[in-house]
Amino acid sequence: MSEKNVIPNDLSAFWMPFTANRQFKKAPRMFVAAKDMHYTTSDGRSVLDATAGLWCVNAGHCRPKITKAIQEQAAELDYAPAFQIGHPKAFELANKLVNIAPKGMDNVFFTNSGSESVETALKIALAYHRVKGDGSRFRLIGRERGYHGVNFGGISVGGIVPNRKMFGTLLTGVDHLPHTHLPKDNAFTKGEPEFGANLADELERIVALHDASTIAAVIVEPVAGSTGVLIPPRGYLQRLRDICTKHKILLIFDEVITGFGRLGTPFAADYFGVIPDIMVTAKGLTNGVIPMGAVFVKSEIHDAFMNGPEHLIEFMHGYTYSGNPIAAAAGLATLETYQEEGLLTRGADLASYWQEALHSLHDAPHVIDIRNIGLIGAIELEPIKGEPTKRAFAAFVKAFDSGLLIRTTGDIIALSPPLIIKKSQIDEIVERLRTILNEVE
Ligand SMILES: Cc1ncc(COP(=O)(O)O)c(C=O)c1O
């Protein structure tokens, strides 16, 4: 048997997720440390984090309370079986979470990621109708350009074509609403776009086609993030809510990005004043530090399962690490940090400064749209003819090299800094971006 020559720092074994592996491994970008708003690269440079890692490090990096909680929990109770046995911190965290959740969302199911939260939410929706004696409701409705993680349910209801097309037959019984990106009407809108609320009425067309009695749930991101920040037209989400209520279809908000203060409110449901039936979260729940997700449900949904013989498991679903002690400790310390520093609403104080700063780039080269809401922003660039994504990726690499972490998707630069950001750091992001946009071809 030939022995593989594995040298230290050999990059070959790790098949990196959502990464151009061969390109990356020729010119790797590595972080080795982080503190508050900054990363440190392997060559010792400081990089300003304009994306909160991957939309998750809402309280900034290596926050002492969270670090300490994880260290202490690992030394005290490292793991407890998740099924038929509990540990106090999972219950404590669930209670604290429902206290900050929109009214009526009184129960929480723990998972380990956004993708798992999505699968869990879809399964709860299907099973809910069944336990209510309405099992003919099997269809799930997603939306074009939606991102709901990478598992089979999530890519089935999702609408990002490259994430779907390689994987054959996905879930059957799925349909999609149109996306709400209308650049001709809404380009350079500050906040919620004026046009497009009527796109929610497409749900009526889908209901007419399939009949409401076959539809279990609609899932949307209140603000679509991964597809490049698509902000819902004013009134759109309320219209979806009304149509779902009218036809007894469950409305699921995927708040994996928008949850935990990103819009200047605890959840996007609060921001838009529209309460879903099920709310999917992850990322900011533990400040991105330890994998954890949480699915919030209205008490009517939870209670519908609590019938039948008490010795039987009510919902045949769960993960080895659901409510894991270390994740629960991280979640509790994260919530405390958010509360002590007012981070669940701090975005509201900064939103108009953020908005004006971003929109000052309207005259920078290649810019064809700028969008913003809460502490989220997107700068859409004109693609290079015949080479989509190349210009934005060049901007990403230039930004990294010059000490700024941005995220790109297609030819869109997406921004979502930690909620502890200072105004001077917002200015720095914008100044650096202007320089970068002047430099990229
Ligand atoms: C809206 C949304 N849903 C689900 C996910 C999937 O989360 P994860 O990568 O933790 O599985 C993401 C990740 O970016 C997301 O933005």
Side-chain angles (χ1 to χ4, degrees):
M1 201 170 80
S2 73
E3 215 172 279
K4 244 180 151 187
N5 182 20
V6 180
I7 54 164
N9 298 326
D10 183 345
L11 306 186
S12 59
F14 177 23
W15 187 352
M16 296 173 70
F18 277 124
T19 297
N21 274 252
R22 287 158 303 157
Q23 183 192 51
F24 177 91
K25 289 171 188 180
K26 281 187 191 140
R29 295 169 291 277
M30 298 274 203
F31 289 137
V32 294
K35 185 69 194 138
D36 299 331
M37 284 297 299
H38 291 89
Y39 281 107
T40 306
T41 62
S42 52
D43 54 350
R45 292 180 305 106
S46 179
V47 173
L48 178 61
D49 183 1
T51 62
L54 267 181
W55 316 80
C56 48
V57 186
N58 289 3
H61 295 273
C62 289
R63 299 307 310 275
K65 189 163 242 174
I66 304 170
T67 308
K68 185 160 173 274
I70 292 168
Q71 288 168 338
E72 286 178 359
Q73 188 60 45
E76 188 181 301
L77 174 67
D78 51 354
Y79 178 78
F83 311 153
Q84 304 284 19
I85 294 185
H87 69 88
K89 287 207 170 74
F91 293 93
E92 203 186 322
L93 178 59
N95 288 334
K96 294 222 157 110
L97 286 170
V98 302
N99 281 342
I100 60 162
K103 206 164 167 279
M105 312 219 80
D106 290 337
N107 297 93
V108 175
F109 198 102
F110 286 120
T111 72
N112 308 291
S113 65
S115 298
E116 287 183 1
S117 289
V118 166
E119 305 302 301
T120 300
L122 298 177
K123 285 173 78 175
I124 290 174
L126 292 169
Y128 165 75
H129 290 297
R130 204 177 152 106
V131 297
K132 294 271 287 182
D134 205 1
S136 69
R137 290 185 183 261
F138 66 97
R139 287 185 205 281
L140 299 167
I141 312 299
R143 190 168 59 183
E144 295 164 0
R145 295 189 68 162
Y147 184 66
H148 301 293
V150 290
N151 293 343
F152 272 100
I155 59 172
S156 300
V157 292
I160 298 186
V161 179
N163 293 1
R164 295 160 50 88
K165 70 178 182 194
M166 284 182 136
F167 307 110
T169 311
L170 306 180
L171 281 189
T172 55
V174 170
D175 209 336
H176 289 81
L177 288 160
H179 66 73
T180 63
H181 191 39
L182 303 172
K184 276 205 189 93
D185 298 317
N186 290 327
F188 295 100
T189 297
K190 295 177 174 175
E192 292 167 77
E194 208 52 53
F195 300 100
N198 58 314
L199 289 168
D201 299 339
E202 285 293 304
L203 183 55
E204 286 285 15
R205 184 188 60 75
I206 290 173
V207 167
L209 176 67
H210 298 295
D211 198 76
S213 69
T214 70
I215 301 176
V218 169
I219 179 166
V220 292
E221 302 157 86
V223 176
S226 296
T227 189
V229 181
L230 309 185
I231 296 157
R234 198 177 292 283
Y236 171 91
L237 291 172
Q238 184 61 54
R239 249 150 118 162
L240 269 192
R241 173 70 277 179
D242 293 345
I243 299 169
C244 284
T245 305
K246 176 173 148 199
H247 295 293
K248 298 190 169 63
I249 297 168
L250 296 180
L251 179 61
I252 306 172
F253 275 180
D254 182 342
E255 294 232 22
V256 168
I257 279 177
T258 51
F260 303 102
R262 179 57 51 203
L263 301 188
T265 49
F267 298 95
D270 304 305
Y271 184 94
F272 295 108
V274 177
I275 313 290
D277 301 296
I278 303 179
M279 201 168 72
V280 170
T281 70
K283 294 195 190 269
L285 168 60
T286 55
N287 204 33
V289 178
I290 296 273
M292 188 180 220
V295 180
F296 294 72
V297 298
K298 282 195 172 154
S299 49
E300 303 94 271
I301 293 178
H302 166 268
D303 295 350
F305 286 83
M306 300 301 138
N307 287 311
E310 286 197 7
H311 69 284
L312 291 183
I313 295 167
E314 297 97 356
F315 181 45
M316 285 293 178
H317 181 73
Y319 302 97
T320 300
Y321 307 110
S322 285
N324 171 280
I326 299 174
L332 284 166
T334 298
L335 283 190
E336 269 176 44
T337 304
Y338 289 159
Q339 266 151 1
E340 281 165 12
E341 301 178 15
L343 296 181
L344 295 179
T345 52
R346 184 165 188 268
D349 303 334
L350 285 175
S352 65
Y353 194 86
W354 172 250
Q355 169 172 289
E356 297 313 313
L358 282 191
H359 281 267
S360 73
L361 289 169
H362 71 276
D363 57 350
H366 317 300
V367 173
I368 56 172
D369 188 16
I370 296 179
R371 316 185 267 279
N372 70 285
I373 190 162
L375 274 189
I376 301 181
I379 301 164
E380 183 150 0
L381 306 181
E382 173 95 58
I384 297 174
K385 264 214 167 71
E387 295 183 302
T389 76
K390 213 169 167 184
R391 177 169 281 146
F393 190 73
F396 165 76
V397 173
K398 258 189 197 303
F400 182 86
D401 290 343
S402 75
L404 178 68
L405 181 68
I406 59 174
R407 179 148 176 73
T408 61
T409 171
D411 275 290
I412 301 160
I413 295 171
L415 302 167
S416 57
L419 307 173
I420 57 167
I421 192 168
K422 297 190 182 108
K423 285 184 176 169
S424 59
Q425 290 165 328
I426 294 178
D427 296 342
E428 188 184 334
I429 292 172
V430 169
E431 278 159 29
R432 282 174 187 267
L433 279 174
R434 185 175 284 284
T435 307
I436 290 157
L437 291 171
N438 278 319
E439 284 172 6
V440 287
E441 287 173 19

